[in-house]
Amino acid sequence: MPPRPARRLLSCAAFCAAIAGFSVALASGFDLPTKRRDLSDADMKRVADVTRPTTDFSKAEQYEAMQAGGATSIDPVTQDSFSHISATIPFEEEQPFRLGNALFKKLWVSAPSSTQASDGLGPLFNARSCMSCHLNDGRGKPPEGGVSATSMFLRLSRPATTPDEQRAIASAEVVNFPDPIYGHQLQDLAVPGLPSEGKMAIRYTEEPVTLGDGETISLRRPTYEVTDLGYGPLDPTTTISPRVAPAMIGLGLIEAIPEADILAHADPDDADGDGIHGKAAIIRDHRTGKVALGRFGWKAQNASVRDQSADAFSNDIGISTPDRADPHGDCTEAEAKCGKMPTGVQKRLGKEEAPGPILDLVTFYSANLAVPARRKASFPATLQGKKIFYQSGCISCHMPKFVTRRDSADKAQAFQLIWPYSDFLLHDMGEGLADGQQVGSANGREWRTPPLWGIGLTQTVSGHSFFLHDGRARNLTEAILWHGGEAEKARDAFASLPGDDRQALITFLESL
């Protein structure tokens, strides 16, 4: 099968040059950079050449095993493979990384307590620490018979109902609107003396899928509901969207990808007719309010590692930071008792429960967790699987390579050739994966393309093999077969392969 022709094979430099100076229609009318300003013309050509997807699958590409460039971890594979420091971090910055690690693992307690630097939990919450959701800095999973979801939660949202609300979403002032009683997220835990909001209930239905060679695979389709509601019914228009915690590796490198290079692959109107409608997620920075490109979260609702960290502190743990200053977290006015509970704000320590230095350290830690080196990148079975991955059209969304900004604020992330296998754009993934929930630019069928680096170590690090935004897929084969919408052609190409070729593609993914 010849390589699939696609706009994704165009050089970044050529595309950026073609649209330089225009307001980005790709970004829904918002003005974002369309050309890199950190490189000379000569360097732009070098970047375009090195990031162009290969057509030679006879051997591994140069530097391919170092999938995070010089920042790649070459430590032995263990359950701690996602917890190593970026190899480009200088010695003097190892201390803030280790302090950030300690705060990432810190167990917060309810106020008031004798440990005044650690109180402020909740009052409503999903976890007591960042590590509770991101065990070993890896991905979360659905609850399997436990009393708490821990590393999985339900996002809540109702649609815009007034012209002002519609304008607020269109202008990226907000990404959506909370349930009037339960807020933006269902918290299944609460401090002593306060009822929790409710519990997530999941029911699975097995659905057989017959592949091209006659093999039958069973997919499990989840149905979600909320039980034991503590404060009355949900609004009838509220949607619930399950999310598992993603792996933490390579986040700083993702933030260092130039906006122009991501936007160069966007095609919301499918102008080239290839069936891929990659759309930029446009949001606003939490601190500055400036328009930015969303690239973190299952629907790309955050632009930076700091934004993502502040959101998690507030919604998951109920801890206030300078960027999310309410010490009562996601409590709403309808949850009156929640708003009257003690907080952990200590005036001598700052105005928030986690003052600026704490958020800074957790952000630094999160941004500098290393991506592990590839395994078996040059093995024949891996190369065969890579060829099939490319030829099946998977790289239309799972873009192999980028080069980070030369002028990155964090020098450890600067000018690295990285292999995240994502375009970081929003794509319609079909009705099977739809959650019906709008999040800013993303509609109820759209999801951000998740990076694939590290996916082959999920079992080793996290102790499970559940994939997709809600962990419904029990292995990589099931994850691929759930792809629909814009990914349906690639999914069908995989399903029609002989068993040996399907296994080769999985072998390639397991090498990442």
Side-chain angles (χ1 to χ4, degrees):
M1 182 187 304
R4 177 176 182 267
R7 63 184 146 71
R8 301 305 197 277
L9 302 184
L10 291 173
S11 76
C12 167
F15 188 91
C16 290
I19 61 174
F22 289 86
S23 180
V24 188
L26 306 174
S28 304
F30 291 98
D31 189 16
L32 288 172
T34 59
K35 183 177 181 179
R36 293 186 66 156
R37 300 185 178 94
D38 60 313
L39 301 178
S40 65
D41 289 342
D43 278 343
M44 285 282 286
K45 184 180 184 304
R46 287 176 55 207
V47 167
D49 289 341
V50 77
T51 56
R52 185 177 296 111
T54 187
T55 57
D56 179 4
F57 302 100
S58 65
K59 61 183 183 299
E61 296 173 69
Q62 190 174 21
Y63 311 121
E64 184 174 0
M66 301 295 284
Q67 55 185 346
T72 305
S73 168
I74 58 173
D75 289 279
V77 172
T78 68
Q79 67 178 7
D80 296 321
S81 287
F82 288 179
S83 300
H84 299 301
I85 188 171
S86 168
T88 49
I89 291 292
F91 175 77
E92 61 269 20
E93 292 184 353
E94 290 186 11
Q95 183 178 25
F97 179 86
R98 299 188 190 286
L99 290 172
N101 181 24
L103 291 167
F104 196 81
K105 296 177 178 177
K106 178 178 181 173
L107 293 172
W108 295 84
V109 298
S110 58
S113 76
S114 59
T115 58
Q116 293 185 350
S118 297
D119 63 353
L121 176 68
L124 296 164
F125 61 98
N126 293 104
R128 292 182 58 198
S129 72
C130 304
M131 189 64 76
S132 297
C133 293
H134 303 277
L135 184 63
N136 297 329
D137 299 298
R139 72 175 63 225
K141 65 175 184 177
E144 299 294 316
V147 295
S148 174
T150 305
S151 60
M152 181 176 177
F153 54 82
L154 294 176
R155 290 282 194 189
L156 307 176
S157 173
R158 64 169 178 80
T161 57
T162 68
D164 285 344
E165 289 182 346
Q166 292 167 353
R167 280 192 292 269
I169 289 180
S171 62
E173 298 296 336
V174 298
V175 295
N176 54 25
F177 295 93
D179 181 85
I181 294 178
Y182 293 96
H184 291 282
Q185 188 165 309
L186 184 80
Q187 276 94 17
D188 60 354
L189 298 171
V191 299
L194 187 69
S196 67
E197 291 187 322
K199 304 296 181 185
M200 172 174 27
I202 313 174
R203 184 178 71 256
Y204 293 107
T205 303
E206 295 288 340
E207 299 182 357
V209 175
T210 301
L211 305 182
D213 61 358
E215 181 180 352
T216 299
I217 301 292
S218 183
L219 303 182
R220 58 177 192 173
R221 180 181 296 275
T223 301
Y224 297 94
E225 62 179 331
V226 181
T227 64
D228 303 325
L229 285 166
Y231 300 87
L234 289 167
D235 187 277
T237 64
T238 292
T239 55
I240 59 176
S241 179
R243 313 283 175 86
V244 297
M248 296 293 296
I249 56 174
L251 301 185
L253 292 165
I254 294 171
E255 187 171 339
I257 299 172
E259 292 174 324
D261 284 3
I262 294 175
L263 291 172
H265 301 294
D267 186 14
D269 299 321
D270 192 20
D272 60 7
D274 69 349
I276 307 298
H277 300 250
K279 185 171 75 175
I282 306 302
I283 55 88
R284 291 186 185 272
D285 181 270
H286 287 186
R287 289 178 293 170
T288 66
K290 292 182 178 178
V291 168
L293 179 67
R295 58 184 83 192
F296 297 102
W298 284 104
K299 296 216 174 190
Q301 66 269 25
N302 286 310
S304 68
V305 180
R306 183 184 174 103
D307 282 356
Q308 188 78 357
S309 299
D311 260 0
F313 265 123
S314 179
N315 290 320
D316 301 348
I317 312 177
I319 295 295
S320 58
T321 66
D323 295 17
R324 296 288 195 216
D326 189 345
H328 290 98
D330 197 32
C331 290
T332 68
E333 292 183 2
E335 297 168 318
K337 188 175 181 180
C338 181
K340 295 177 181 177
M341 299 297 287
T343 73
V345 175
Q346 308 291 332
K347 291 185 178 181
R348 61 186 179 83
L349 299 176
K351 297 180 181 179
E352 301 86 21
E353 293 158 321
I358 291 179
L359 181 58
D360 291 343
L361 288 167
V362 170
T363 300
F364 184 80
Y365 172 76
S366 301
N368 288 289
L369 283 162
V371 178
R374 289 274 303 279
R375 285 86 48 213
K376 303 179 180 180
S378 61
F379 279 36
T382 305
L383 293 171
Q384 174 65 7
K386 177 182 176 182
K387 179 180 180 179
I388 295 168
F389 184 85
Y390 280 49
Q391 292 179 343
S392 296
C394 302
I395 64 167
S396 292
C397 301
H398 290 284
M399 279 293 301
K401 296 172 279 185
F402 288 93
V403 172
T404 60
R405 298 187 64 88
R406 186 189 287 279
D407 59 354
S408 172
D410 190 337
K411 299 305 179 186
Q413 321 293 355
F415 211 49
Q416 299 294 324
L417 172 63
I418 63 174
W419 306 67
Y421 281 94
S422 172
D423 60 6
F424 304 100
L425 297 171
L426 299 169
H427 294 275
D428 183 332
M429 294 300 293
E431 191 59 34
L433 291 177
D435 66 348
Q437 187 170 107
Q438 179 178 11
V439 181
S441 307
N443 65 34
R445 291 166 55 104
E446 291 175 327
W447 301 92
R448 179 200 70 152
T449 307
L452 297 181
W453 53 14
I455 198 168
L457 292 176
T458 301
Q459 180 69 55
T460 300
V461 171
S462 302
H464 66 81
S465 60
F466 296 110
F467 298 105
L468 301 178
H469 67 279
D470 58 359
R472 69 178 67 188
R474 292 162 290 196
N475 52 58
L476 291 169
T477 296
E478 290 184 24
I480 296 170
L481 293 175
W482 270 110
H483 283 49
E486 297 172 43
E488 187 171 358
K489 288 183 180 179
R491 177 261 182 213
D492 289 349
F494 172 78
S496 67
L497 292 170
D500 289 348
D501 284 349
R502 290 199 307 274
Q503 183 53 52
L505 190 151
I506 298 300
T507 297
F508 164 67
L509 293 176
E510 289 174 343
S511 78
L512 297 178

